[in-house]
Amino acid sequence: MIALVALAATGIFALRASFLVTADRFQLPASWKAALSHARPAVLGSLLMSIVAGGGVTSSPDITALVVVGVAALASTRLDMSRTVGVGLVAIVVAGWLAA
Amino acid sequence: MRVIGATMDIDTNVDANLDLPSSLRAGLKDAKPVALALAPIGLALGAAVSTSPLAGMSGWIAGPLLLSGAAHFAMISTLVEGSGATAALFTALVLSSRLLLYSAALAPRFRAQPSWFRWVGAHLIIDQSFVMVDENVPLDETPARFRRYWFGCTLPLVAVWVATITVGMAIGPRLPDGWRLELAGAILVTSMLRPAVAERSGRLAAVIGGAATFVLAGLPLGTGLLVGSVVGITATQRLVRPDRAGIAS
């Protein structure tokens, strides 16, 4: 299992380092740079949907995840990040308590 | 965008007695709420590791070596399902392929950095560090201040990550079943998404990326996440006139 972890860590490091170690010699085309300016919201939107999709359109959405995300989204409109996280964590505990 | 350190002089919540450069303090400050949300995920991961084929040293060392909850969880589930080590490795790598996007997007900020930092700093690319830097650090920040911010916002997260995985492995079986601690990841993403969608282009990218990921969620090995992200990026680029000077705007 150690070998598996070492291989995975090496592969993931290669993904992380791929563009960084050559950053002083290689520059992305301007069109790529412009497109990557949208990476943050696009990846965050995708990450959020992958969490709540519950396996996609062929299965039911994860209702608990939807409720927790909804509470956090509502809190984030009025509170800073620390308080939003706090409210969200309380929502997880309450949801777990209700589900028990 | 916030210039790192610019808010520090007027922020009385920051420990001004620490003789730390403002960029390092800014990174530490930004890491606090993220660390709060990472802690329950680390606990949940540690609990999952403790009852998996990765239990023991290999599962624990994977925490700091992978620095990826999604990949770590995916490896565990694949092994528990009995799909074998090769499938677990492939799943972890495919699921982590979005790190390529982060690496490409961060490359301009690493161009002027010394070689050692481009290697060491690369290991610290995670969803949260990418978002914090993209949101808070201007492209023309000096290399030294960027390095301090990078270490300030990432090293505390690594420490919390390893510590909570360790605690999770120790107390895992005693955690209540109904507590979906891993959902803290959803809270973190939600709270990070709000500033990212302040502009129209951000809203478009998030909606298109999220919708594409939902439709493609059935793709094997979690590839829907990468493909959905790329669809969100490319579609937004076509729909929105490029009116931003740099990738961090």
Side-chain angles (χ1 to χ4, degrees):
Chain A
M1 286 302 165
I2 284 284
L4 170 64
V5 170
L7 280 172
T10 305
I12 290 175
F13 179 78
L15 293 169
R16 287 180 165 120
S18 52
F19 287 91
L20 298 193
V21 292
T22 57
D24 58 335
R25 301 185 297 276
F26 169 76
Q27 287 204 33
L28 289 170
S31 58
W32 278 52
K33 287 185 190 173
L36 286 169
S37 69
H38 308 299
R40 176 161 54 108
V43 173
L44 286 174
S46 297
L47 276 171
L48 191 59
M49 193 52 73
S50 71
I51 293 169
V52 299
V57 291
T58 54
S59 60
S60 302
D62 187 330
I63 300 299
T64 310
L66 276 173
V67 170
V68 169
V69 166
V71 168
L74 198 62
S76 71
T77 62
R78 293 178 179 275
L79 304 174
D80 64 17
M81 194 175 171
S82 296
R83 291 184 175 89
T84 298
V85 169
V87 168
L89 292 179
V90 171
I92 288 178
V93 173
V94 171
W97 178 68
L98 290 174
Chain B
M1 177 193 298
R2 191 191 81 202
V3 177
I4 58 175
T7 60
M8 305 310 292
D9 294 334
I10 56 172
D11 190 343
T12 53
N13 290 324
V14 176
D15 188 354
N17 294 323
L18 289 175
D19 185 22
L20 296 172
S22 60
S23 49
L24 178 60
R25 275 186 282 141
L28 290 168
K29 182 185 174 220
D30 289 343
K32 274 186 197 172
V34 179
L36 180 65
L38 274 185
I41 306 173
L43 280 176
L45 178 57
V49 166
S50 67
T51 56
S52 78
L54 272 181
M57 179 53 78
S58 55
W60 181 82
I61 200 71
L65 287 184
L66 301 182
L67 281 189
S68 169
H72 207 153
F73 269 120
M75 281 178 66
I76 290 170
S77 350
T78 312
L79 290 171
V80 167
E81 287 166 6
S83 301
T86 308
L89 175 64
F90 194 59
T91 304
L93 293 179
V94 172
L95 204 55
S96 302
S97 51
R98 68 186 182 284
L99 294 169
L100 269 176
L101 288 177
Y102 299 161
S103 182
L106 289 170
R109 299 170 187 279
F110 279 73
R111 181 167 303 124
Q113 296 292 346
S115 177
W116 69 266
F117 181 72
R118 292 202 303 276
W119 285 93
V120 173
H123 182 59
L124 300 171
I125 295 180
I126 56 176
D127 296 317
Q128 295 80 9
S129 62
F130 167 69
V131 171
M132 283 189 278
V133 163
D134 191 45
E135 184 182 336
N136 299 323
V137 185
L139 263 178
D140 57 356
E141 186 56 273
T142 65
R145 285 171 60 82
F146 178 84
R147 283 197 299 278
R148 286 196 289 265
Y149 182 86
W150 185 252
F151 285 133
C153 77
T154 54
L155 292 182
L157 301 185
V158 174
V160 168
W161 187 241
V162 174
T164 52
I165 288 175
T166 308
V167 173
M169 289 177 73
I171 67 167
R174 291 192 287 278
L175 283 173
D177 284 340
W179 287 19
R180 302 273 309 276
L181 293 177
E182 75 281 2
L183 285 183
I187 298 168
L188 196 51
V189 172
T190 305
S191 58
M192 288 181 144
L193 188 60
R194 196 176 72 85
V197 296
E199 295 175 13
R200 178 174 169 267
S201 60
R203 287 192 290 275
L204 262 178
V207 168
I208 296 172
T213 302
F214 183 75
V215 171
L216 300 169
L219 289 181
L221 301 174
T223 44
L225 176 58
L226 175 68
V227 179
S229 301
V230 172
V231 168
I233 291 169
T234 51
T236 305
Q237 179 64 8
R238 286 182 179 278
L239 291 171
V240 178
R241 190 171 61 85
D243 54 0
R244 302 204 298 179
I247 63 168
S249 301

